[in-house]
Amino acid sequence: MEQIQLDISRVYDFISAEEIKKLSKETKAAQDTLYQGDGQGNDYLGWLHLPSEITAQQIENIEKAVAGLKEKTEILVVVGIGGSYLGARAVNDALSHNFSHLKKGQKAPHMIFAGQNIGEDYMYELLELLEEQSYSIVVISKSGTTTEPALAFRILKNHLEEKVGKEEARDRIIAVTDSSKGALRQLAEEESYRSYIIPDNVGGRFSVFTPVGLIPLAICGVDIRELVSGALEMSKRCDSSIPFEENPAAVYAATRNALYRSGKKIELLVNYQNKLHYVSEWWKQLYGESEGKEGLGIFPAAVDNSSDLHSMGQYIQEGERILFETVVSVEQTDHHVSVPGDPANLDQLNYLKGKNIDHVNKMAELGTILAHLDGGVPNIRISIPALNAHWLGQLLYFFENACGISGYMLGINPFNQPGVEAYKKNMFALLEKPGFEEETAKIKSRL
Ligand code: PA5
């Protein structure tokens, strides 16, 4: 049976299979803490069983609810930051045509983003673009108070209302937020927007299988049934009843912790399919925000190969030996392009005549893995059969589950993000936000 494969055999030159096996008890304890719900942050475990709790009826309701909007929308602007946008972006980018923004005859709405940065030129150019297009907005914020998306939404809401009128704008705006708290909830109620709830017990970066991911993805034509069914299948493979050796999430969590303890402080997520770039961005948030605390945590970084072999490749091969790699490899491409023969052979590529481009890509992958192993970089390899909603659902759930286990192995709370508040406090003080007078005085004395 086809499935996602986890191969850790290429770390054995650095840590033995026995050493990893020795961690199985500790891994199981962390996994039990997760499944029994008696660890730190246990009020944020709603994601763990989410795939089995989503009913076919709920999915149908979402599909029906967004059908009208899908019809009349050319561009869907997803307004959110962090966990409130990266899941949708990861899945949408992975499944979209590489040139969908330029391709004629594209039926599904294009997904674009706002509120994930505060660039003034970005906003100006976005408004310029939206002037010419028929657009709708999904605004997502669990807290309902995050500055970046709130600012973007205020501007976009004004723009849309001016462009199509208040009534039509109301029909084109969907809010995804907390059931009762936060400014966005209040705004959604007062403006009578259609709204969906982010469950209290699911944190932003674990929310891709809630309306946070499902609503924008459904509008843009992603098969959310397959996405959720993939997550469900993987949740069975990762269940705490599955023995260590057969449990990919447990083995991945144990292996990366063993590498970390041996001095490998940075994990590079590596892809050879550019469409996976935002899966890596999503993964970086998941692991960075979950594990980086109390002076601990593997630093999650990512490269897109083979482009980055010509920029980061030198460091990975010969720089400080604090790295390990996790390669996400896609077995089957959707399309085939083979190398044509050329009688003149001036580019000396005739030795590749008749080979598919993906064959060259796979040899680049294998050659790089072996070179990096020689250079002291251990390798974990995750292979997914193909890039579709089902396997992406499996992959994302696998990473979530392993993150919960891995965080508990580190001894930290994987489900909070206290460090994110520090910059906000300074920004509010500098912006002289009411209520921050004391901080404003303090920060001014530092300038
Ligand atoms: O994972 C998290 O909790 C965060 O990254 C949040 O998703 C992010 O800060 C956005 O928060 P909110 O959805 O409350 O606007």
Side-chain angles (χ1 to χ4, degrees):
M1 196 184 72
E2 266 193 328
Q3 57 179 11
I4 290 184
Q5 308 279 356
L6 173 72
D7 180 1
I8 59 161
S9 62
R10 291 201 172 105
V11 306
Y12 294 157
D13 284 348
F14 305 86
I15 355 164
S16 67
E18 285 67 41
E19 274 174 277
I20 294 171
K21 209 167 167 216
K22 262 195 223 148
L23 277 185
S24 63
K25 243 178 148 185
E26 189 184 326
T27 310
K28 177 73 181 134
Q31 193 182 36
D32 286 346
T33 304
L34 184 67
Y35 277 80
Q36 286 159 14
D38 53 9
Q40 298 184 71
N42 58 357
D43 39 353
Y44 284 99
L45 293 176
W47 59 272
L48 189 61
H49 299 293
L50 198 59
S52 62
E53 288 163 5
I54 303 170
T55 63
Q57 190 59 53
Q58 281 169 329
I59 296 207
E60 198 178 319
N61 290 348
I62 289 178
E63 286 169 341
K64 275 192 187 149
V66 302
L69 202 59
K70 203 168 157 178
E71 278 302 304
K72 63 179 175 185
T73 300
E74 286 172 339
I75 289 190
L76 179 72
V77 188
V78 176
V79 182
I81 195 165
S84 287
Y85 101 102
L86 280 168
R89 185 161 200 176
V91 175
N92 187 66
D93 275 26
L95 300 180
S96 294
H97 190 285
N98 269 302
F99 306 101
S100 58
H101 58 299
L102 295 173
K103 197 166 180 287
K104 296 201 173 75
Q106 172 87 6
K107 266 197 169 160
H110 294 295
M111 191 185 289
I112 61 172
F113 302 89
Q116 88 287 22
N117 68 53
I118 332 177
E120 191 159 353
D121 287 343
Y122 184 93
M123 182 51 79
Y124 181 91
E125 288 165 19
L126 175 63
L127 293 173
E128 208 174 39
L129 170 83
L130 295 176
E131 200 51 53
E132 301 155 7
Q133 309 269 345
S134 156
Y135 77 97
S136 301
I137 301 172
V138 177
V139 53
I140 307 172
S141 177
K142 179 164 184 186
S143 61
T145 55
T146 309
T147 308
E148 291 89 339
L151 189 59
F153 183 60
R154 175 185 279 217
I155 293 166
L156 289 167
K157 173 180 182 292
N158 270 353
H159 183 267
L160 188 59
E161 286 175 354
E162 270 170 28
K163 190 175 173 203
V164 298
K166 210 162 165 55
E167 271 314 300
E168 179 62 13
R170 181 172 291 130
D171 196 52
R172 285 173 176 264
I173 293 174
I174 294 181
V176 183
T177 187
D178 186 85
S179 59
S180 55
K181 298 187 296 291
L184 182 57
R185 169 53 57 200
Q186 201 186 339
L187 187 64
E189 306 277 304
E190 281 183 17
E191 296 281 3
S192 304
Y193 294 147
R194 268 179 288 172
S195 70
Y196 291 84
I197 290 169
I198 309 173
D200 285 351
N201 59 358
V202 181
R205 58 191 175 275
F206 289 86
S207 68
V208 60
F209 301 111
T210 72
V212 172
L214 300 183
I215 294 291
L217 289 169
I219 296 172
C220 292
V222 168
D223 188 342
I224 59 171
R225 280 163 207 272
E226 278 302 317
L227 188 76
V228 172
S229 96
L232 177 61
E233 221 165 275
M234 185 51 86
S235 72
K236 292 177 187 160
R237 276 186 78 193
C238 296
D239 191 76
S240 61
S241 61
I242 306 292
F244 178 76
E245 286 84 355
E246 293 159 36
N247 190 317
V251 172
Y252 176 56
T255 307
R256 61 196 297 285
N257 274 282
L259 288 164
Y260 177 60
R261 290 173 198 183
S262 77
K264 304 293 184 191
K265 304 285 187 195
I266 298 174
E267 179 174 8
L268 280 178
L269 198 75
V270 185
N271 70 67
Y272 286 80
Q273 295 288 344
N274 57 297
K275 288 184 180 183
L276 288 174
H277 177 81
Y278 268 92
V279 169
S280 296
E281 293 301 306
W282 172 87
W283 172 89
K284 271 161 59 181
Q285 189 210 351
L286 181 68
Y287 280 81
E289 225 168 50
S290 299
E291 294 196 325
K293 46 198 78 153
E294 298 179 33
L296 295 167
I298 299 169
F299 184 83
V303 289
D304 300 327
N305 286 352
S306 60
S307 352
D308 286 338
L309 288 171
H310 295 261
S311 57
M312 297 297 286
Q314 171 61 37
Y315 188 102
I316 301 168
Q317 190 68 43
E318 295 182 350
E320 197 174 350
R321 303 298 71 195
I322 48 172
L323 305 168
F324 68 96
E325 291 183 321
T326 298
V327 171
V328 176
S329 183
V330 181
E331 296 300 331
Q332 289 292 328
T333 55
D334 284 344
H335 310 289
H336 299 295
V337 178
S338 60
V339 181
D342 181 348
N345 195 28
L346 292 176
D347 54 12
Q348 299 177 10
L349 287 177
N350 271 355
Y351 74 101
L352 294 175
K353 183 180 161 203
K355 298 270 195 261
N356 285 342
I357 297 284
D358 193 52
H359 172 74
V360 182
N361 200 20
K362 289 288 189 301
M363 293 309 107
E365 177 191 317
L366 184 56
T368 305
I369 288 174
L370 296 176
H372 289 178
L373 282 176
D374 292 343
V377 181
N379 181 276
I380 298 172
R381 186 172 184 271
I382 297 165
S383 67
I384 69 173
L387 216 42
N388 61 34
H390 181 83
W391 296 117
L392 277 174
Q394 289 219 13
L395 184 71
L396 299 191
Y397 184 85
F398 157 77
F399 278 134
E400 287 184 354
N401 193 293
C403 185
I405 301 172
S406 187
Y408 281 143
M409 289 181 79
L410 272 172
I412 49 86
N413 176 355
F415 305 113
N416 64 3
Q417 53 284 328
V420 180
E421 297 311 309
Y423 97 90
K424 292 186 191 170
K425 203 174 80 186
N426 286 347
M427 179 175 79
F428 293 148
L430 290 165
L431 288 169
E432 303 187 17
K433 183 176 175 174
F436 283 77
E437 290 75 11
E438 218 175 286
E439 286 84 353
T440 302
K442 265 195 221 153
I443 208 160
K444 280 195 169 164
S445 72
R446 289 175 62 186
L447 302 177

